[in-house]
Amino acid sequence: MAEERSYSPGLEGVIAAETRISFLDTEQEEIVVRGYNLLELIRRVQYVDVVGLLLDERLPDAGRREELEQEMVNAQVPEIVYEILWRLPAQMHAMDRLRTAVSTLAGFDPEANSADPDSERRRAPRIIGQIAQIVANLHRIAQGDRPQHFESNRGFAENFLRTIVAREVTPAEIRAFEQSLIAYSEHELPNSTFAARVVASTLSDAYGALTAAVASLKGPLHGGANEAVIYLLLEARTADGLEALIRQKLARKERIMGFGHRVYMRRMDPRAQLLKETLHELIAAKGTGSELAAMCQRGEDVMRTEKGLYPNLDYYAAPVYYLLGIPIELYTPIFFAARSAGLLAHIIEQHRENRLYRPRVLYTGPRGLHV
Ligand code: SDX
């Protein structure tokens, strides 16, 4: 019997997995994560709660929450991972350095080759903590400095941000950073999560699947957009400058990073709206940055009127990270660190209920040739 075949470029509109993890309900305009609205999670809980929800399929009670946070904060990064990072060329892209480090972690996990979902769920909090500590030290190590370790008496988000910016951080800064981590934590089946599930579907291991996801997320059409947004804003310098720069780029048929989305199409990414509020709250708390917010608003207005396009979460994550003083090369690595919880949930789910991914092609090449 001829198999049923259909073709959608870029798999647009194709359902490629059955999942209990998350769903982008564009009708109800809700990002569902294990039954909760992601926007409510961003407003009401901490990142460690979302890690528990993603891995355990329910929000953690106090005991499980404490256990998760301690595992994530006290996760040890093998010294040799930092030694390898020291030896890499400092000008190597931060996501390429991160990709190398994630891959190296496999060498220090005796269960690395296990595709057993229970083993992976048990090890996930440690892997999430290791990735965060590697990301928090990537810039420092590229400068030739020694890594700074997380401290057991501080929360995960405070440790993560404080290590990145190498200074004490305020509650308002920690909250803004924590909201970005939750916003980035899980988002159905983007390219990087799909890449991880494709790799996991051969029963390859979590480190290989995570490494594939890092490579995918680096791309400027995907996670690399948040870094590209801040470079656009810095080049523009003012709202008028941004309007002129956008118009020039559009005239050259160039894409404006931070706008558009395969699923949200010509609607605002709900996470972008929330991170816009986060930006304004951070500006109020710090008493600086209002011109940055005004510039972002102008960019929104121009893209809406000229292209009917709206911001995605990267457009507002970038100015939040800039105001927090985060080195620009860490913007996308932070996205990956936050998304590692969602990625591991998908890898575990794929290993729990596996079907090898092996799509077909629409062949348009020649036939019947002979040597
Ligand atoms: C993320 O999938 C996810 O969930 C990803 C993510 C997550 O949480 O994991 O949400 C994170 O990756 C957000 C997206 C970050 N990327 C960017 O900001 C890069 C800029 N945006 C795009 O390149 C684009 O919007 C995509 C890649 C995000 C989506 O592209 P699609 O669905 O393939 O849309 P398309 O390329 O077919 O564009 C449709 C039209 C085209 O115009 P025409 O050729 O029909 O005239 O819209 C135009 C595009 O040129 N267009 C843009 C544009 N995005 C689309 N024009 C200018 N600037 C843009 N940003």
Side-chain angles (χ1 to χ4, degrees), residues 10 93 187 190-192 215-229 253-263 269 271 312-314 332 335:
H93 194 289
H187 202 238
N191 187 286
S192 46
S216 157
L217 199 69
K218 172 189 176 183
L221 294 187
H222 192 7
N226 60 14
E227 178 182 318
V229 167
K253 297 277 180 235
E254 290 175 21
R255 287 168 182 254
I256 312 301
M257 298 295 132
F259 288 92
H261 196 279
R262 172 63 61 81
V263 175
D269 178 338
R271 301 165 299 171
N312 54 55
L313 84 166
D314 291 320
T332 310
F335 182 163

PDB file of all heavy atoms in Angstrom, residues 10 93 187 190-192 215-229 253-263 269 271 312-314 332 335:
ATOM      1  N   GLY A  10       9.784  23.324   5.431  1.00  0.00           N
ATOM      2  CA  GLY A  10      10.092  23.716   6.809  1.00  0.00           C
ATOM      3  C   GLY A  10       9.141  23.086   7.804  1.00  0.00           C
ATOM      4  O   GLY A  10       9.073  23.505   8.961  1.00  0.00           O
ATOM      5  N   HIS A  93      32.930  31.866  18.825  1.00  0.00           N
ATOM      6  CA  HIS A  93      31.561  32.261  19.199  1.00  0.00           C
ATOM      7  C   HIS A  93      31.175  31.579  20.514  1.00  0.00           C
ATOM      8  O   HIS A  93      31.425  30.380  20.700  1.00  0.00           O
ATOM      9  CB  HIS A  93      30.588  31.874  18.076  1.00  0.00           C
ATOM     10  CG  HIS A  93      29.244  32.520  18.191  1.00  0.00           C
ATOM     11  ND1 HIS A  93      28.331  32.162  19.162  1.00  0.00           N
ATOM     12  CD2 HIS A  93      28.667  33.508  17.481  1.00  0.00           C
ATOM     13  CE1 HIS A  93      27.243  32.910  19.032  1.00  0.00           C
ATOM     14  NE2 HIS A  93      27.429  33.730  18.025  1.00  0.00           N
ATOM     15  N   HIS A 187       8.867  26.062  25.014  1.00  0.00           N
ATOM     16  CA  HIS A 187       7.988  26.709  24.024  1.00  0.00           C
ATOM     17  C   HIS A 187       7.578  25.756  22.910  1.00  0.00           C
ATOM     18  O   HIS A 187       7.691  26.074  21.729  1.00  0.00           O
ATOM     19  CB  HIS A 187       8.701  27.935  23.429  1.00  0.00           C
ATOM     20  CG  HIS A 187       7.746  28.931  22.829  1.00  0.00           C
ATOM     21  ND1 HIS A 187       7.812  29.313  21.516  1.00  0.00           N
ATOM     22  CD2 HIS A 187       6.716  29.628  23.365  1.00  0.00           C
ATOM     23  CE1 HIS A 187       6.853  30.202  21.260  1.00  0.00           C
ATOM     24  NE2 HIS A 187       6.175  30.408  22.367  1.00  0.00           N
ATOM     25  N   PRO A 190      10.070  24.292  18.878  1.00  0.00           N
ATOM     26  CA  PRO A 190      10.921  25.116  18.018  1.00  0.00           C
ATOM     27  C   PRO A 190      12.036  24.276  17.420  1.00  0.00           C
ATOM     28  O   PRO A 190      12.234  23.119  17.806  1.00  0.00           O
ATOM     29  CB  PRO A 190      11.470  26.181  18.969  1.00  0.00           C
ATOM     30  CG  PRO A 190      11.395  25.578  20.311  1.00  0.00           C
ATOM     31  CD  PRO A 190      10.218  24.654  20.299  1.00  0.00           C
ATOM     32  N   ASN A 191      12.779  24.852  16.502  1.00  0.00           N
ATOM     33  CA  ASN A 191      13.792  24.114  15.763  1.00  0.00           C
ATOM     34  C   ASN A 191      14.746  23.372  16.688  1.00  0.00           C
ATOM     35  O   ASN A 191      15.063  22.200  16.474  1.00  0.00           O
ATOM     36  CB  ASN A 191      14.557  25.111  14.875  1.00  0.00           C
ATOM     37  CG  ASN A 191      15.523  24.418  13.936  1.00  0.00           C
ATOM     38  OD1 ASN A 191      16.570  23.954  14.377  1.00  0.00           O
ATOM     39  ND2 ASN A 191      15.157  24.317  12.671  1.00  0.00           N
ATOM     40  N   SER A 192      15.197  24.025  17.754  1.00  0.00           N
ATOM     41  CA  SER A 192      16.201  23.415  18.648  1.00  0.00           C
ATOM     42  C   SER A 192      15.615  22.246  19.447  1.00  0.00           C
ATOM     43  O   SER A 192      16.275  21.225  19.641  1.00  0.00           O
ATOM     44  CB  SER A 192      16.753  24.472  19.601  1.00  0.00           C
ATOM     45  OG  SER A 192      15.702  25.237  20.159  1.00  0.00           O
ATOM     46  N   ALA A 215      23.581  23.858  18.769  1.00  0.00           N
ATOM     47  CA  ALA A 215      23.953  24.228  17.387  1.00  0.00           C
ATOM     48  C   ALA A 215      22.785  24.908  16.683  1.00  0.00           C
ATOM     49  O   ALA A 215      22.963  25.917  16.004  1.00  0.00           O
ATOM     50  CB  ALA A 215      24.393  22.990  16.624  1.00  0.00           C
ATOM     51  N   SER A 216      21.598  24.392  16.885  1.00  0.00           N
ATOM     52  CA  SER A 216      20.406  24.980  16.257  1.00  0.00           C
ATOM     53  C   SER A 216      20.104  26.355  16.838  1.00  0.00           C
ATOM     54  O   SER A 216      19.878  27.328  16.115  1.00  0.00           O
ATOM     55  CB  SER A 216      19.197  24.071  16.487  1.00  0.00           C
ATOM     56  OG  SER A 216      17.993  24.815  16.382  1.00  0.00           O
ATOM     57  N   LEU A 217      20.153  26.473  18.134  1.00  0.00           N
ATOM     58  CA  LEU A 217      19.739  27.725  18.793  1.00  0.00           C
ATOM     59  C   LEU A 217      20.654  28.887  18.442  1.00  0.00           C
ATOM     60  O   LEU A 217      20.240  30.045  18.474  1.00  0.00           O
ATOM     61  CB  LEU A 217      19.707  27.521  20.309  1.00  0.00           C
ATOM     62  CG  LEU A 217      18.888  28.560  21.085  1.00  0.00           C
ATOM     63  CD1 LEU A 217      17.397  28.413  20.807  1.00  0.00           C
ATOM     64  CD2 LEU A 217      19.151  28.471  22.577  1.00  0.00           C
ATOM     65  N   LYS A 218      21.895  28.591  18.063  1.00  0.00           N
ATOM     66  CA  LYS A 218      22.855  29.661  17.721  1.00  0.00           C
ATOM     67  C   LYS A 218      22.359  30.487  16.526  1.00  0.00           C
ATOM     68  O   LYS A 218      22.629  31.683  16.435  1.00  0.00           O
ATOM     69  CB  LYS A 218      24.205  29.021  17.393  1.00  0.00           C
ATOM     70  CG  LYS A 218      25.239  29.995  16.827  1.00  0.00           C
ATOM     71  CD  LYS A 218      26.465  29.255  16.325  1.00  0.00           C
ATOM     72  CE  LYS A 218      27.457  30.197  15.673  1.00  0.00           C
ATOM     73  NZ  LYS A 218      28.635  29.488  15.122  1.00  0.00           N
ATOM     74  N   GLY A 219      21.634  29.882  15.648  1.00  0.00           N
ATOM     75  CA  GLY A 219      21.239  30.543  14.399  1.00  0.00           C
ATOM     76  C   GLY A 219      20.477  31.842  14.608  1.00  0.00           C
ATOM     77  O   GLY A 219      19.616  31.920  15.488  1.00  0.00           O
ATOM     78  N   PRO A 220      20.787  32.895  13.817  1.00  0.00           N
ATOM     79  CA  PRO A 220      20.120  34.194  13.993  1.00  0.00           C
ATOM     80  C   PRO A 220      18.622  34.159  13.711  1.00  0.00           C
ATOM     81  O   PRO A 220      17.880  35.003  14.171  1.00  0.00           O
ATOM     82  CB  PRO A 220      20.841  35.121  13.010  1.00  0.00           C
ATOM     83  CG  PRO A 220      21.543  34.237  12.063  1.00  0.00           C
ATOM     84  CD  PRO A 220      21.825  32.951  12.780  1.00  0.00           C
ATOM     85  N   LEU A 221      18.150  33.146  12.998  1.00  0.00           N
ATOM     86  CA  LEU A 221      16.697  33.040  12.795  1.00  0.00           C
ATOM     87  C   LEU A 221      16.019  32.481  14.047  1.00  0.00           C
ATOM     88  O   LEU A 221      14.799  32.463  14.143  1.00  0.00           O
ATOM     89  CB  LEU A 221      16.381  32.120  11.605  1.00  0.00           C
ATOM     90  CG  LEU A 221      16.809  32.605  10.225  1.00  0.00           C
ATOM     91  CD1 LEU A 221      16.267  31.667   9.142  1.00  0.00           C
ATOM     92  CD2 LEU A 221      16.339  34.032   9.962  1.00  0.00           C
ATOM     93  N   HIS A 222      16.823  32.019  14.993  1.00  0.00           N
ATOM     94  CA  HIS A 222      16.290  31.364  16.202  1.00  0.00           C
ATOM     95  C   HIS A 222      16.858  32.070  17.440  1.00  0.00           C
ATOM     96  O   HIS A 222      16.697  33.267  17.578  1.00  0.00           O
ATOM     97  CB  HIS A 222      16.639  29.867  16.108  1.00  0.00           C
ATOM     98  CG  HIS A 222      15.953  28.973  17.093  1.00  0.00           C
ATOM     99  ND1 HIS A 222      14.972  29.359  17.954  1.00  0.00           N
ATOM    100  CD2 HIS A 222      16.148  27.645  17.331  1.00  0.00           C
ATOM    101  CE1 HIS A 222      14.584  28.332  18.688  1.00  0.00           C
ATOM    102  NE2 HIS A 222      15.288  27.276  18.341  1.00  0.00           N
ATOM    103  N   GLY A 223      17.571  31.376  18.283  1.00  0.00           N
ATOM    104  CA  GLY A 223      18.009  31.994  19.535  1.00  0.00           C
ATOM    105  C   GLY A 223      18.996  33.130  19.341  1.00  0.00           C
ATOM    106  O   GLY A 223      19.086  34.038  20.167  1.00  0.00           O
ATOM    107  N   GLY A 224      19.754  33.094  18.244  1.00  0.00           N
ATOM    108  CA  GLY A 224      20.765  34.136  18.003  1.00  0.00           C
ATOM    109  C   GLY A 224      20.150  35.507  17.804  1.00  0.00           C
ATOM    110  O   GLY A 224      20.844  36.521  17.765  1.00  0.00           O
ATOM    111  N   ALA A 225      18.825  35.571  17.693  1.00  0.00           N
ATOM    112  CA  ALA A 225      18.159  36.854  17.434  1.00  0.00           C
ATOM    113  C   ALA A 225      18.318  37.820  18.593  1.00  0.00           C
ATOM    114  O   ALA A 225      18.428  39.035  18.383  1.00  0.00           O
ATOM    115  CB  ALA A 225      16.681  36.632  17.142  1.00  0.00           C
ATOM    116  N   ASN A 226      18.366  37.328  19.849  1.00  0.00           N
ATOM    117  CA  ASN A 226      18.415  38.274  20.980  1.00  0.00           C
ATOM    118  C   ASN A 226      19.709  39.078  20.972  1.00  0.00           C
ATOM    119  O   ASN A 226      19.718  40.286  21.242  1.00  0.00           O
ATOM    120  CB  ASN A 226      18.154  37.592  22.320  1.00  0.00           C
ATOM    121  CG  ASN A 226      19.149  36.493  22.675  1.00  0.00           C
ATOM    122  OD1 ASN A 226      20.210  36.352  22.082  1.00  0.00           O
ATOM    123  ND2 ASN A 226      18.782  35.702  23.672  1.00  0.00           N
ATOM    124  N   GLU A 227      20.792  38.423  20.561  1.00  0.00           N
ATOM    125  CA  GLU A 227      22.076  39.154  20.449  1.00  0.00           C
ATOM    126  C   GLU A 227      21.996  40.157  19.301  1.00  0.00           C
ATOM    127  O   GLU A 227      22.393  41.320  19.414  1.00  0.00           O
ATOM    128  CB  GLU A 227      23.188  38.126  20.194  1.00  0.00           C
ATOM    129  CG  GLU A 227      24.560  38.699  20.008  1.00  0.00           C
ATOM    130  CD  GLU A 227      25.601  37.601  19.708  1.00  0.00           C
ATOM    131  OE1 GLU A 227      25.552  36.531  20.342  1.00  0.00           O
ATOM    132  OE2 GLU A 227      26.442  37.834  18.825  1.00  0.00           O
ATOM    133  N   ALA A 228      21.377  39.718  18.184  1.00  0.00           N
ATOM    134  CA  ALA A 228      21.270  40.612  17.006  1.00  0.00           C
ATOM    135  C   ALA A 228      20.416  41.834  17.320  1.00  0.00           C
ATOM    136  O   ALA A 228      20.688  42.941  16.837  1.00  0.00           O
ATOM    137  CB  ALA A 228      20.676  39.838  15.826  1.00  0.00           C
ATOM    138  N   VAL A 229      19.411  41.674  18.193  1.00  0.00           N
ATOM    139  CA  VAL A 229      18.531  42.812  18.538  1.00  0.00           C
ATOM    140  C   VAL A 229      19.337  43.912  19.226  1.00  0.00           C
ATOM    141  O   VAL A 229      19.230  45.088  18.867  1.00  0.00           O
ATOM    142  CB  VAL A 229      17.374  42.342  19.450  1.00  0.00           C
ATOM    143  CG1 VAL A 229      16.653  43.537  20.085  1.00  0.00           C
ATOM    144  CG2 VAL A 229      16.381  41.495  18.669  1.00  0.00           C
ATOM    145  N   LYS A 253      15.359  44.547   1.713  1.00  0.00           N
ATOM    146  CA  LYS A 253      14.736  43.229   1.913  1.00  0.00           C
ATOM    147  C   LYS A 253      15.434  42.423   3.008  1.00  0.00           C
ATOM    148  O   LYS A 253      15.494  41.196   2.943  1.00  0.00           O
ATOM    149  CB  LYS A 253      14.763  42.430   0.593  1.00  0.00           C
ATOM    150  CG  LYS A 253      13.951  43.071  -0.530  1.00  0.00           C
ATOM    151  CD  LYS A 253      12.489  42.707  -0.411  1.00  0.00           C
ATOM    152  CE  LYS A 253      11.640  43.320  -1.526  1.00  0.00           C
ATOM    153  NZ  LYS A 253      10.527  44.115  -0.957  1.00  0.00           N
ATOM    154  N   GLU A 254      16.041  43.145   3.966  1.00  0.00           N
ATOM    155  CA  GLU A 254      16.682  42.438   5.087  1.00  0.00           C
ATOM    156  C   GLU A 254      15.668  42.192   6.201  1.00  0.00           C
ATOM    157  O   GLU A 254      14.677  42.925   6.321  1.00  0.00           O
ATOM    158  CB  GLU A 254      17.853  43.287   5.637  1.00  0.00           C
ATOM    159  CG  GLU A 254      19.036  43.372   4.702  1.00  0.00           C
ATOM    160  CD  GLU A 254      20.105  44.317   5.261  1.00  0.00           C
ATOM    161  OE1 GLU A 254      20.117  44.562   6.491  1.00  0.00           O
ATOM    162  OE2 GLU A 254      20.902  44.829   4.453  1.00  0.00           O
ATOM    163  N   ARG A 255      15.919  41.154   7.000  1.00  0.00           N
ATOM    164  CA  ARG A 255      15.045  40.862   8.137  1.00  0.00           C
ATOM    165  C   ARG A 255      15.466  41.666   9.357  1.00  0.00           C
ATOM    166  O   ARG A 255      16.654  41.888   9.572  1.00  0.00           O
ATOM    167  CB  ARG A 255      15.104  39.377   8.466  1.00  0.00           C
ATOM    168  CG  ARG A 255      14.376  38.579   7.434  1.00  0.00           C
ATOM    169  CD  ARG A 255      14.634  37.112   7.537  1.00  0.00           C
ATOM    170  NE  ARG A 255      13.907  36.471   6.462  1.00  0.00           N
ATOM    171  CZ  ARG A 255      12.806  35.765   6.636  1.00  0.00           C
ATOM    172  NH1 ARG A 255      12.330  35.569   7.851  1.00  0.00           N
ATOM    173  NH2 ARG A 255      12.177  35.224   5.614  1.00  0.00           N
ATOM    174  N   ILE A 256      14.482  42.063  10.143  1.00  0.00           N
ATOM    175  CA  ILE A 256      14.764  42.787  11.383  1.00  0.00           C
ATOM    176  C   ILE A 256      14.643  41.789  12.529  1.00  0.00           C
ATOM    177  O   ILE A 256      13.562  41.262  12.806  1.00  0.00           O
ATOM    178  CB  ILE A 256      13.767  43.953  11.579  1.00  0.00           C
ATOM    179  CG1 ILE A 256      13.638  44.782  10.308  1.00  0.00           C
ATOM    180  CG2 ILE A 256      14.185  44.790  12.794  1.00  0.00           C
ATOM    181  CD1 ILE A 256      14.932  45.391   9.808  1.00  0.00           C
ATOM    182  N   MET A 257      15.755  41.500  13.147  1.00  0.00           N
ATOM    183  CA  MET A 257      15.799  40.493  14.207  1.00  0.00           C
ATOM    184  C   MET A 257      14.931  40.908  15.395  1.00  0.00           C
ATOM    185  O   MET A 257      14.850  42.076  15.747  1.00  0.00           O
ATOM    186  CB  MET A 257      17.241  40.290  14.672  1.00  0.00           C
ATOM    187  CG  MET A 257      18.138  39.788  13.555  1.00  0.00           C
ATOM    188  SD  MET A 257      17.654  38.148  13.005  1.00  0.00           S
ATOM    189  CE  MET A 257      17.610  38.324  11.252  1.00  0.00           C
ATOM    190  N   GLY A 258      14.236  39.916  15.963  1.00  0.00           N
ATOM    191  CA  GLY A 258      13.348  40.212  17.084  1.00  0.00           C
ATOM    192  C   GLY A 258      11.911  40.364  16.677  1.00  0.00           C
ATOM    193  O   GLY A 258      11.031  40.545  17.523  1.00  0.00           O
ATOM    194  N   PHE A 259      11.666  40.269  15.362  1.00  0.00           N
ATOM    195  CA  PHE A 259      10.283  40.392  14.869  1.00  0.00           C
ATOM    196  C   PHE A 259       9.876  39.164  14.070  1.00  0.00           C
ATOM    197  O   PHE A 259      10.707  38.539  13.411  1.00  0.00           O
ATOM    198  CB  PHE A 259      10.141  41.643  13.984  1.00  0.00           C
ATOM    199  CG  PHE A 259      10.180  42.923  14.759  1.00  0.00           C
ATOM    200  CD1 PHE A 259      11.386  43.583  14.949  1.00  0.00           C
ATOM    201  CD2 PHE A 259       9.029  43.444  15.331  1.00  0.00           C
ATOM    202  CE1 PHE A 259      11.443  44.759  15.693  1.00  0.00           C
ATOM    203  CE2 PHE A 259       9.071  44.622  16.073  1.00  0.00           C
ATOM    204  CZ  PHE A 259      10.284  45.273  16.256  1.00  0.00           C
ATOM    205  N   GLY A 260       8.596  38.843  14.156  1.00  0.00           N
ATOM    206  CA  GLY A 260       8.068  37.713  13.408  1.00  0.00           C
ATOM    207  C   GLY A 260       8.214  36.414  14.175  1.00  0.00           C
ATOM    208  O   GLY A 260       9.021  36.306  15.105  1.00  0.00           O
ATOM    209  N   HIS A 261       7.408  35.433  13.783  1.00  0.00           N
ATOM    210  CA  HIS A 261       7.462  34.122  14.447  1.00  0.00           C
ATOM    211  C   HIS A 261       6.683  33.129  13.598  1.00  0.00           C
ATOM    212  O   HIS A 261       5.616  33.467  13.087  1.00  0.00           O
ATOM    213  CB  HIS A 261       6.817  34.206  15.839  1.00  0.00           C
ATOM    214  CG  HIS A 261       7.164  33.045  16.716  1.00  0.00           C
ATOM    215  ND1 HIS A 261       6.526  31.838  16.615  1.00  0.00           N
ATOM    216  CD2 HIS A 261       8.103  32.917  17.683  1.00  0.00           C
ATOM    217  CE1 HIS A 261       7.046  31.004  17.496  1.00  0.00           C
ATOM    218  NE2 HIS A 261       8.010  31.628  18.159  1.00  0.00           N
ATOM    219  N   ARG A 262       7.222  31.907  13.465  1.00  0.00           N
ATOM    220  CA  ARG A 262       6.554  30.919  12.625  1.00  0.00           C
ATOM    221  C   ARG A 262       5.140  30.625  13.137  1.00  0.00           C
ATOM    222  O   ARG A 262       4.220  30.449  12.341  1.00  0.00           O
ATOM    223  CB  ARG A 262       7.404  29.646  12.617  1.00  0.00           C
ATOM    224  CG  ARG A 262       6.753  28.460  11.943  1.00  0.00           C
ATOM    225  CD  ARG A 262       6.498  28.682  10.472  1.00  0.00           C
ATOM    226  NE  ARG A 262       7.671  28.916   9.675  1.00  0.00           N
ATOM    227  CZ  ARG A 262       8.472  27.956   9.221  1.00  0.00           C
ATOM    228  NH1 ARG A 262       8.245  26.701   9.538  1.00  0.00           N
ATOM    229  NH2 ARG A 262       9.517  28.236   8.448  1.00  0.00           N
ATOM    230  N   VAL A 263       4.968  30.574  14.453  1.00  0.00           N
ATOM    231  CA  VAL A 263       3.649  30.201  14.985  1.00  0.00           C
ATOM    232  C   VAL A 263       2.780  31.437  15.207  1.00  0.00           C
ATOM    233  O   VAL A 263       1.605  31.459  14.881  1.00  0.00           O
ATOM    234  CB  VAL A 263       3.798  29.422  16.316  1.00  0.00           C
ATOM    235  CG1 VAL A 263       2.436  29.137  16.941  1.00  0.00           C
ATOM    236  CG2 VAL A 263       4.571  28.122  16.082  1.00  0.00           C
ATOM    237  N   ASP A 269       4.015  37.934  20.166  1.00  0.00           N
ATOM    238  CA  ASP A 269       4.400  36.809  21.024  1.00  0.00           C
ATOM    239  C   ASP A 269       4.005  37.193  22.461  1.00  0.00           C
ATOM    240  O   ASP A 269       4.472  38.217  22.976  1.00  0.00           O
ATOM    241  CB  ASP A 269       5.927  36.628  20.891  1.00  0.00           C
ATOM    242  CG  ASP A 269       6.496  35.525  21.750  1.00  0.00           C
ATOM    243  OD1 ASP A 269       5.873  35.144  22.751  1.00  0.00           O
ATOM    244  OD2 ASP A 269       7.596  35.050  21.393  1.00  0.00           O
ATOM    245  N   ARG A 271       4.928  36.284  25.204  1.00  0.00           N
ATOM    246  CA  ARG A 271       6.087  36.435  26.104  1.00  0.00           C
ATOM    247  C   ARG A 271       6.742  37.802  25.908  1.00  0.00           C
ATOM    248  O   ARG A 271       7.301  38.391  26.831  1.00  0.00           O
ATOM    249  CB  ARG A 271       7.101  35.318  25.838  1.00  0.00           C
ATOM    250  CG  ARG A 271       6.573  33.914  26.014  1.00  0.00           C
ATOM    251  CD  ARG A 271       7.502  32.895  25.397  1.00  0.00           C
ATOM    252  NE  ARG A 271       7.641  33.124  23.964  1.00  0.00           N
ATOM    253  CZ  ARG A 271       8.534  32.470  23.199  1.00  0.00           C
ATOM    254  NH1 ARG A 271       9.350  31.565  23.734  1.00  0.00           N
ATOM    255  NH2 ARG A 271       8.607  32.718  21.905  1.00  0.00           N
ATOM    256  N   ASN A 312       8.898  39.241  18.874  1.00  0.00           N
ATOM    257  CA  ASN A 312       8.940  37.977  19.603  1.00  0.00           C
ATOM    258  C   ASN A 312       9.726  38.214  20.883  1.00  0.00           C
ATOM    259  O   ASN A 312      10.223  39.325  21.124  1.00  0.00           O
ATOM    260  CB  ASN A 312       9.572  36.876  18.736  1.00  0.00           C
ATOM    261  CG  ASN A 312      10.934  37.271  18.210  1.00  0.00           C
ATOM    262  OD1 ASN A 312      11.829  37.621  18.976  1.00  0.00           O
ATOM    263  ND2 ASN A 312      11.077  37.283  16.893  1.00  0.00           N
ATOM    264  N   LEU A 313       9.851  37.191  21.708  1.00  0.00           N
ATOM    265  CA  LEU A 313      10.398  37.437  23.061  1.00  0.00           C
ATOM    266  C   LEU A 313      11.814  37.988  23.021  1.00  0.00           C
ATOM    267  O   LEU A 313      12.230  38.741  23.916  1.00  0.00           O
ATOM    268  CB  LEU A 313      10.346  36.180  23.929  1.00  0.00           C
ATOM    269  CG  LEU A 313      11.439  35.143  23.844  1.00  0.00           C
ATOM    270  CD1 LEU A 313      11.357  34.185  24.995  1.00  0.00           C
ATOM    271  CD2 LEU A 313      11.449  34.433  22.525  1.00  0.00           C
ATOM    272  N   ASP A 314      12.585  37.651  21.954  1.00  0.00           N
ATOM    273  CA  ASP A 314      13.977  38.126  21.903  1.00  0.00           C
ATOM    274  C   ASP A 314      14.065  39.644  21.844  1.00  0.00           C
ATOM    275  O   ASP A 314      15.026  40.245  22.332  1.00  0.00           O
ATOM    276  CB  ASP A 314      14.686  37.519  20.689  1.00  0.00           C
ATOM    277  CG  ASP A 314      14.885  36.017  20.860  1.00  0.00           C
ATOM    278  OD1 ASP A 314      15.217  35.597  21.984  1.00  0.00           O
ATOM    279  OD2 ASP A 314      14.693  35.273  19.885  1.00  0.00           O
ATOM    280  N   THR A 332      22.446  34.616  24.058  1.00  0.00           N
ATOM    281  CA  THR A 332      21.917  33.360  23.523  1.00  0.00           C
ATOM    282  C   THR A 332      22.298  32.164  24.380  1.00  0.00           C
ATOM    283  O   THR A 332      21.463  31.271  24.603  1.00  0.00           O
ATOM    284  CB  THR A 332      22.356  33.159  22.053  1.00  0.00           C
ATOM    285  OG1 THR A 332      22.080  34.352  21.308  1.00  0.00           O
ATOM    286  CG2 THR A 332      21.591  32.009  21.399  1.00  0.00           C
ATOM    287  N   PHE A 335      19.731  31.944  26.978  1.00  0.00           N
ATOM    288  CA  PHE A 335      18.502  31.360  26.396  1.00  0.00           C
ATOM    289  C   PHE A 335      18.623  29.833  26.459  1.00  0.00           C
ATOM    290  O   PHE A 335      17.732  29.132  26.927  1.00  0.00           O
ATOM    291  CB  PHE A 335      18.370  31.838  24.950  1.00  0.00           C
ATOM    292  CG  PHE A 335      17.149  31.377  24.187  1.00  0.00           C
ATOM    293  CD1 PHE A 335      16.768  32.037  23.024  1.00  0.00           C
ATOM    294  CD2 PHE A 335      16.392  30.285  24.574  1.00  0.00           C
ATOM    295  CE1 PHE A 335      15.645  31.633  22.291  1.00  0.00           C
ATOM    296  CE2 PHE A 335      15.277  29.858  23.859  1.00  0.00           C
ATOM    297  CZ  PHE A 335      14.913  30.534  22.716  1.00  0.00           C
TER     298      PHE A 335
END
